Amino acid sequence: MPIVVDIDVMLARRKMSVGELAERVGITPANLAVLKNGRAKAVRFATLAALCEVLKCQPGELLRWEAEDTASG
C-alpha cells in the first residue's frame, strides 16, 4: 500500500512505548500494532486526532505517501 504509517518514528522521538500510546489514545495495543505495521485498511479521524494530540504532532508526521513499485521482473 502506498500509504506508510510512521508511528514508530514518533514513538522513538517521544520515548514512548506502544502500550503507553495505546492506553493514552484509548485503543487496544493490538489495534495500534495493526495501524503501526501498515496492515490497517482505514483509520478514523478521531483516532488520528488522538494520536496527534498524544504525540504532539501533525497528521503528516504520522502518514506519508510512497509510490508503489510498478516494475515487473
Coordinates of all heavy atoms in Angstrom, one line a residue:
M1 N 0.8 -1.2 0.0 CA 0.0 0.0 0.0 C 0.9 1.2 0.0 O 1.9 1.3 0.7 CB -0.9 0.0 1.2 CG -1.7 1.2 1.3 SD -2.9 1.2 2.7 CE -4.3 0.6 1.8
P2 N 0.5 2.2 -0.8 CA 1.4 3.4 -0.9 C 1.3 4.4 0.3 O 2.1 5.3 0.4 CB 0.9 4.1 -2.1 CG -0.5 3.6 -2.3 CD -0.6 2.3 -1.7
I3 N 0.4 4.2 1.3 CA 0.4 5.0 2.5 C 1.2 4.3 3.5 O 1.0 3.2 3.9 CB -1.0 5.2 3.0 CG1 -1.9 5.9 1.9 CG2 -1.0 6.0 4.3 CD1 -1.4 7.3 1.5
V4 N 2.2 5.0 4.0 CA 3.1 4.5 5.1 C 2.9 5.2 6.4 O 2.7 6.4 6.4 CB 4.6 4.7 4.7 CG1 5.6 4.2 5.7 CG2 4.9 4.0 3.3
V5 N 2.8 4.4 7.5 CA 2.5 4.9 8.8 C 3.8 4.9 9.6 O 4.5 3.9 9.7 CB 1.4 4.0 9.5 CG1 1.1 4.6 10.9 CG2 0.2 3.9 8.7
D6 N 4.2 6.1 10.0 CA 5.5 6.3 10.7 C 5.3 6.5 12.3 O 5.9 7.3 12.9 CB 6.2 7.5 10.2 CG 6.8 7.3 8.8 OD1 7.2 6.1 8.5 OD2 6.8 8.2 8.0
I7 N 4.4 5.7 12.9 CA 4.2 5.8 14.3 C 5.5 5.4 15.0 O 5.8 6.0 16.1 CB 3.0 4.9 14.7 CG1 1.7 5.6 14.2 CG2 2.9 4.8 16.3 CD1 0.5 4.8 14.5
D8 N 6.2 4.4 14.5 CA 7.4 4.0 15.2 C 8.4 5.2 15.4 O 9.1 5.3 16.4 CB 8.1 2.9 14.4 CG 7.5 1.5 14.6 OD1 6.8 1.4 15.6 OD2 7.7 0.7 13.8
V9 N 8.5 6.0 14.3 CA 9.4 7.2 14.4 C 9.0 8.1 15.5 O 9.8 8.6 16.3 CB 9.4 7.9 13.0 CG1 10.2 9.2 13.1 CG2 9.9 7.0 11.9
M10 N 7.7 8.4 15.6 CA 7.2 9.3 16.6 C 7.4 8.7 18.0 O 7.7 9.4 19.0 CB 5.8 9.7 16.3 CG 5.6 10.6 15.1 SD 6.7 12.0 15.0 CE 6.0 13.0 16.3
L11 N 7.1 7.4 18.1 CA 7.3 6.8 19.4 C 8.7 6.9 19.9 O 9.0 7.2 21.1 CB 6.9 5.3 19.3 CG 5.4 5.0 19.3 CD1 5.1 3.5 19.0 CD2 4.7 5.4 20.6
A12 N 9.7 6.7 19.0 CA 11.1 6.8 19.3 C 11.4 8.2 19.8 O 12.1 8.4 20.7 CB 11.9 6.3 18.2
R13 N 10.9 9.2 19.0 CA 11.2 10.6 19.3 C 10.6 11.0 20.7 O 11.2 11.8 21.4 CB 10.6 11.5 18.3 CG 11.4 11.5 17.0 CD 10.8 12.4 16.0 NE 11.5 12.3 14.7 CZ 11.0 12.8 13.6 NH1 9.8 13.5 13.6 NH2 11.6 12.7 12.5
R14 N 9.5 10.4 21.0 CA 8.8 10.7 22.3 C 9.2 9.8 23.4 O 8.7 10.0 24.5 CB 7.3 10.7 22.1 CG 6.7 11.6 21.0 CD 7.0 13.1 21.3 NE 6.4 13.9 20.3 CZ 7.0 14.6 19.3 NH1 8.3 14.5 19.2 NH2 6.3 15.3 18.5
K15 N 10.1 8.8 23.1 CA 10.5 7.8 24.1 C 9.3 7.2 24.8 O 9.2 7.1 26.0 CB 11.4 8.4 25.1 CG 12.8 8.9 24.5 CD 13.7 9.5 25.5 CE 15.0 9.8 24.9 NZ 15.1 10.9 24.0
M16 N 8.3 6.7 24.0 CA 7.1 6.2 24.5 C 6.9 4.8 24.0 O 7.3 4.5 22.8 CB 5.9 7.1 24.0 CG 4.6 6.8 24.6 SD 3.2 7.8 23.9 CE 3.8 9.4 24.5
S17 N 6.3 3.9 24.8 CA 6.1 2.5 24.3 C 4.7 2.4 23.6 O 3.9 3.3 23.7 CB 6.0 1.6 25.5 OG 4.8 1.8 26.3
V18 N 4.6 1.4 22.8 CA 3.3 1.1 22.1 C 2.2 1.0 23.1 O 1.1 1.5 22.9 CB 3.4 -0.2 21.3 CG1 2.1 -0.6 20.7 CG2 4.4 0.0 20.1
G19 N 2.4 0.3 24.2 CA 1.4 0.1 25.2 C 1.0 1.4 25.9 O -0.2 1.6 26.1
E20 N 1.9 2.3 26.2 CA 1.6 3.6 26.7 C 0.8 4.4 25.7 O -0.2 5.0 26.1 CB 2.8 4.3 27.1 CG 2.6 5.7 27.7 CD 3.8 6.5 28.1 OE1 4.9 6.0 28.0 OE2 3.7 7.7 28.4
L21 N 1.2 4.4 24.5 CA 0.5 5.2 23.4 C -1.0 4.7 23.3 O -1.9 5.4 23.3 CB 1.2 5.1 22.1 CG 0.5 5.9 20.9 CD1 0.3 7.4 21.3 CD2 1.3 5.7 19.7
A22 N -1.1 3.3 23.2 CA -2.4 2.7 23.1 C -3.3 3.1 24.2 O -4.5 3.5 24.0 CB -2.3 1.2 23.0
E23 N -2.8 3.1 25.4 CA -3.6 3.4 26.6 C -4.0 4.9 26.6 O -5.2 5.2 26.8 CB -2.8 3.1 27.9 CG -3.6 3.4 29.1 CD -2.8 3.0 30.4 OE1 -2.0 2.1 30.4 OE2 -2.9 3.8 31.4
R24 N -3.1 5.8 26.2 CA -3.4 7.2 26.2 C -4.3 7.6 25.1 O -5.1 8.5 25.3 CB -2.1 8.0 26.2 CG -1.3 7.9 27.5 CD 0.0 8.6 27.5 NE -0.2 10.0 27.3 CZ 0.8 10.9 27.1 NH1 2.1 10.5 27.2 NH2 0.6 12.2 27.0
V25 N -4.3 6.9 24.0 CA -5.2 7.1 22.8 C -6.5 6.5 23.0 O -7.5 7.0 22.5 CB -4.5 6.7 21.5 CG1 -5.5 6.7 20.4 CG2 -3.3 7.5 21.2
G26 N -6.6 5.4 23.8 CA -7.8 4.7 24.0 C -8.1 3.6 23.0 O -9.3 3.4 22.7
I27 N -7.1 3.0 22.5 CA -7.3 1.9 21.6 C -6.5 0.7 22.1 O -5.6 0.9 23.0 CB -6.9 2.2 20.1 CG1 -5.4 2.5 20.0 CG2 -7.7 3.3 19.5 CD1 -4.9 2.7 18.6
T28 N -6.8 -0.5 21.7 CA -6.0 -1.7 22.1 C -4.6 -1.7 21.5 O -4.4 -1.2 20.4 CB -6.7 -3.0 21.8 OG1 -6.7 -3.1 20.4 CG2 -8.2 -3.0 22.3
P29 N -3.7 -2.3 22.3 CA -2.3 -2.4 21.7 C -2.3 -3.2 20.4 O -1.6 -2.9 19.4 CB -1.5 -3.1 22.8 CG -2.2 -2.8 24.0 CD -3.7 -2.7 23.7
A30 N -3.2 -4.2 20.3 CA -3.3 -5.0 19.0 C -3.8 -4.1 17.9 O -3.2 -4.2 16.7 CB -4.3 -6.1 19.2
N31 N -4.8 -3.2 18.1 CA -5.2 -2.3 17.0 C -4.2 -1.3 16.6 O -4.0 -1.0 15.5 CB -6.5 -1.6 17.4 CG -7.7 -2.5 17.3 OD1 -7.7 -3.5 16.6 ND2 -8.8 -2.1 17.9
L32 N -3.4 -0.8 17.6 CA -2.3 0.1 17.3 C -1.2 -0.6 16.5 O -0.7 0.0 15.6 CB -1.7 0.7 18.6 CG -0.6 1.7 18.4 CD1 -1.1 2.9 17.6 CD2 -0.1 2.2 19.8
A33 N -1.0 -1.9 16.8 CA 0.0 -2.7 16.1 C -0.4 -2.8 14.6 O 0.4 -2.7 13.7 CB 0.2 -4.0 16.7
V34 N -1.7 -3.1 14.4 CA -2.2 -3.2 13.0 C -1.9 -1.9 12.2 O -1.5 -1.9 11.1 CB -3.7 -3.6 13.0 CG1 -4.3 -3.4 11.6 CG2 -3.9 -5.0 13.5
L35 N -2.2 -0.8 12.9 CA -2.0 0.5 12.2 C -0.5 0.8 12.0 O -0.1 1.1 10.9 CB -2.6 1.6 13.1 CG -2.5 3.0 12.6 CD1 -3.2 3.2 11.3 CD2 -3.1 4.0 13.6
K36 N 0.2 0.5 13.0 CA 1.7 0.8 13.0 C 2.4 -0.1 12.0 O 3.4 0.4 11.4 CB 2.2 0.5 14.4 CG 3.6 0.5 14.7 CD 3.9 0.4 16.2 CE 4.3 -0.9 16.6 NZ 5.5 -1.4 16.1
N37 N 2.0 -1.3 11.8 CA 2.6 -2.2 10.9 C 2.1 -2.1 9.4 O 2.5 -2.9 8.6 CB 2.5 -3.6 11.4 CG 3.3 -3.8 12.7 OD1 4.3 -3.2 12.9 ND2 2.7 -4.6 13.6
G38 N 1.2 -1.1 9.2 CA 0.8 -0.9 7.8 C -0.3 -1.9 7.3 O -0.5 -2.0 6.1
R39 N -0.9 -2.6 8.3 CA -1.9 -3.6 7.8 C -3.3 -3.1 7.9 O -4.3 -3.7 7.6 CB -1.8 -4.9 8.7 CG -0.5 -5.6 8.5 CD -0.4 -6.9 9.2 NE -1.0 -7.0 10.5 CZ -0.3 -6.9 11.7 NH1 1.0 -6.7 11.6 NH2 -0.9 -6.9 12.8
A40 N -3.5 -1.8 8.4 CA -4.8 -1.2 8.6 C -5.4 -0.8 7.2 O -4.6 -0.3 6.3 CB -4.8 0.0 9.5
K41 N -6.7 -1.0 7.0 CA -7.3 -0.6 5.8 C -7.8 0.8 5.9 O -8.1 1.5 4.9 CB -8.5 -1.5 5.5 CG -8.1 -3.0 5.3 CD -7.5 -3.2 3.9 CE -7.3 -4.7 3.8 NZ -6.2 -5.0 2.9
A42 N -8.0 1.3 7.1 CA -8.5 2.7 7.3 C -8.1 3.1 8.7 O -7.8 2.3 9.6 CB -10.1 2.7 7.2
V43 N -8.3 4.4 8.9 CA -8.1 5.0 10.3 C -9.1 6.1 10.5 O -9.3 6.9 9.6 CB -6.6 5.5 10.5 CG1 -6.3 6.6 9.5 CG2 -6.4 6.0 11.9
R44 N -9.8 6.0 11.6 CA -10.8 7.1 11.9 C -10.1 8.4 12.2 O -9.0 8.4 12.8 CB -11.6 6.7 13.1 CG -12.5 5.5 12.8 CD -13.4 5.2 14.0 NE -14.3 4.2 13.6 CZ -15.0 3.4 14.4 NH1 -14.8 3.6 15.8 NH2 -15.8 2.5 14.0
F45 N -10.7 9.5 11.7 CA -10.1 10.8 12.0 C -10.0 11.0 13.5 O -9.1 11.7 14.0 CB -10.9 11.9 11.4 CG -10.7 12.1 9.9 CD1 -11.5 12.8 9.1 CD2 -9.6 11.5 9.3 CE1 -11.3 13.0 7.8 CE2 -9.3 11.6 7.9 CZ -10.2 12.4 7.2
A46 N -11.0 10.5 14.3 CA -10.9 10.7 15.8 C -9.7 10.0 16.3 O -9.0 10.5 17.2 CB -12.2 10.1 16.4
T47 N -9.3 8.8 15.8 CA -8.1 8.1 16.2 C -6.9 8.8 15.8 O -5.9 9.0 16.6 CB -8.1 6.7 15.7 OG1 -9.3 6.0 16.1 CG2 -6.9 5.9 16.1
L48 N -6.9 9.3 14.6 CA -5.7 10.1 14.1 C -5.5 11.4 14.9 O -4.4 11.7 15.3 CB -5.9 10.4 12.6 CG -4.8 11.2 11.9 CD1 -3.5 10.4 12.0 CD2 -5.2 11.5 10.5
A49 N -6.6 12.0 15.2 CA -6.6 13.2 16.1 C -6.0 12.9 17.5 O -5.2 13.7 18.0 CB -7.9 13.9 16.2
A50 N -6.5 11.8 18.0 CA -6.0 11.4 19.4 C -4.5 11.1 19.3 O -3.7 11.4 20.2 CB -6.8 10.2 19.9
L51 N -4.1 10.4 18.3 CA -2.6 10.1 18.1 C -1.8 11.4 18.0 O -0.8 11.5 18.7 CB -2.4 9.2 16.9 CG -2.8 7.8 16.9 CD1 -2.9 7.2 15.5 CD2 -1.9 7.0 17.8
C52 N -2.3 12.3 17.2 CA -1.6 13.6 17.1 C -1.6 14.4 18.4 O -0.5 15.0 18.8 CB -2.2 14.4 16.0 SG -2.0 13.8 14.3
E53 N -2.7 14.3 19.2 CA -2.7 15.0 20.4 C -1.7 14.4 21.4 O -0.9 15.2 22.0 CB -4.1 15.0 21.0 CG -4.3 15.7 22.3 CD -5.7 15.7 22.9 OE1 -6.6 15.3 22.2 OE2 -5.8 16.2 24.0
V54 N -1.7 13.1 21.5 CA -0.8 12.4 22.5 C 0.6 12.6 22.1 O 1.5 12.9 22.9 CB -1.2 11.0 22.6 CG1 -0.1 10.2 23.4 CG2 -2.6 10.8 23.3
L55 N 0.9 12.5 20.8 CA 2.3 12.5 20.3 C 2.7 14.0 20.0 O 3.9 14.2 19.6 CB 2.4 11.7 19.0 CG 2.3 10.2 19.3 CD1 2.2 9.4 17.9 CD2 3.4 9.6 20.1
K56 N 1.8 14.9 20.1 CA 2.1 16.3 19.8 C 2.8 16.5 18.5 O 3.9 17.0 18.3 CB 3.0 16.9 20.9 CG 2.3 16.9 22.3 CD 3.2 17.6 23.3 CE 2.6 17.6 24.7 NZ 1.5 16.9 25.1
C57 N 2.0 16.1 17.5 CA 2.5 16.1 16.1 C 1.3 16.4 15.1 O 0.2 16.5 15.6 CB 3.2 14.8 15.7 SG 2.1 13.4 15.6
Q58 N 1.7 16.6 13.9 CA 0.7 16.8 12.8 C 0.4 15.4 12.1 O 1.3 14.6 12.1 CB 1.2 17.8 11.8 CG 1.4 19.2 12.4 CD 0.0 19.8 12.8 OE1 -1.0 19.7 12.0 NE2 -0.1 20.3 14.0
P59 N -0.7 15.3 11.5 CA -1.0 14.0 10.7 C 0.0 13.7 9.7 O 0.4 12.5 9.5 CB -2.4 14.3 10.1 CG -3.0 15.3 10.9 CD -1.9 16.2 11.5
G60 N 0.6 14.7 9.1 CA 1.6 14.4 8.1 C 2.9 13.9 8.6 O 3.8 13.4 7.9
E61 N 3.1 14.0 9.9 CA 4.3 13.4 10.6 C 4.0 11.9 10.9 O 5.0 11.2 11.1 CB 4.6 14.1 11.9 CG 5.1 15.5 11.7 CD 5.3 16.3 12.9 OE1 4.3 16.8 13.5 OE2 6.5 16.2 13.4
L62 N 2.8 11.4 10.8 CA 2.5 10.0 11.0 C 2.2 9.3 9.7 O 2.4 8.1 9.7 CB 1.2 9.9 11.9 CG 1.4 10.5 13.3 CD1 0.0 10.3 14.1 CD2 2.5 9.8 14.1
L63 N 1.7 10.0 8.7 CA 1.3 9.3 7.5 C 2.1 10.0 6.3 O 2.2 11.2 6.2 CB -0.2 9.5 7.2 CG -1.1 9.0 8.3 CD1 -2.6 9.4 8.0 CD2 -1.0 7.5 8.5
R64 N 2.5 9.1 5.4 CA 3.1 9.6 4.2 C 2.8 8.7 3.0 O 2.5 7.5 3.2 CB 4.6 9.8 4.3 CG 5.4 8.6 4.6 CD 6.9 8.9 4.9 NE 7.5 7.8 5.5 CZ 8.0 6.7 4.9 NH1 8.1 6.7 3.6 NH2 8.6 5.7 5.6
W65 N 2.9 9.3 1.8 CA 2.6 8.5 0.6 C 3.9 8.1 -0.1 O 4.8 8.9 -0.2 CB 1.8 9.4 -0.4 CG 1.5 8.7 -1.6 CD1 0.5 7.8 -1.9 CD2 2.1 8.9 -2.9 NE1 0.5 7.4 -3.2 CE2 1.5 8.0 -3.8 CE3 3.3 9.6 -3.3 CZ2 2.0 7.9 -5.2 CZ3 3.7 9.5 -4.6 CH2 3.0 8.7 -5.5
E66 N 4.0 6.9 -0.5 CA 5.1 6.4 -1.3 C 4.5 5.7 -2.6 O 3.6 4.9 -2.5 CB 5.9 5.4 -0.5 CG 6.9 5.9 0.4 CD 7.8 4.9 1.0 OE1 7.7 3.7 0.6 OE2 8.6 5.2 1.9
A67 N 5.1 6.0 -3.7 CA 4.7 5.4 -4.9 C 5.0 3.9 -4.9 O 6.0 3.5 -4.3 CB 5.4 6.0 -6.1
E68 N 4.0 3.1 -5.4 CA 4.2 1.7 -5.4 C 5.2 1.3 -6.5 O 5.2 2.0 -7.6 CB 2.9 0.9 -5.6 CG 2.0 1.0 -4.5 CD 0.7 0.2 -4.6 OE1 0.9 -1.1 -4.5 OE2 -0.3 0.7 -4.9
D69 N 6.0 0.3 -6.3 CA 6.9 -0.1 -7.4 C 6.1 -0.9 -8.4 O 5.6 -2.0 -8.1 CB 8.0 -1.0 -6.8 CG 9.1 -1.4 -7.8 OD1 9.1 -0.9 -8.9 OD2 9.9 -2.3 -7.4
T70 N 6.1 -0.3 -9.6 CA 5.3 -1.0 -10.7 C 6.2 -1.8 -11.6 O 5.7 -2.3 -12.6 CB 4.5 0.1 -11.5 OG1 5.4 1.1 -12.0 CG2 3.5 0.8 -10.6
A71 N 7.4 -1.8 -11.4 CA 8.4 -2.6 -12.2 C 8.1 -4.1 -12.0 O 7.9 -4.6 -10.9 CB 9.8 -2.3 -11.9
S72 N 8.0 -4.8 -13.1 CA 7.8 -6.3 -13.0 C 9.1 -6.9 -13.4 O 9.8 -6.5 -14.3 CB 6.7 -6.7 -13.9 OG 6.9 -6.4 -15.2
G73 N 9.4 -8.0 -12.8 CA 10.7 -8.7 -13.0 C 10.6 -10.0 -13.4 O 10.6 -11.0 -13.8

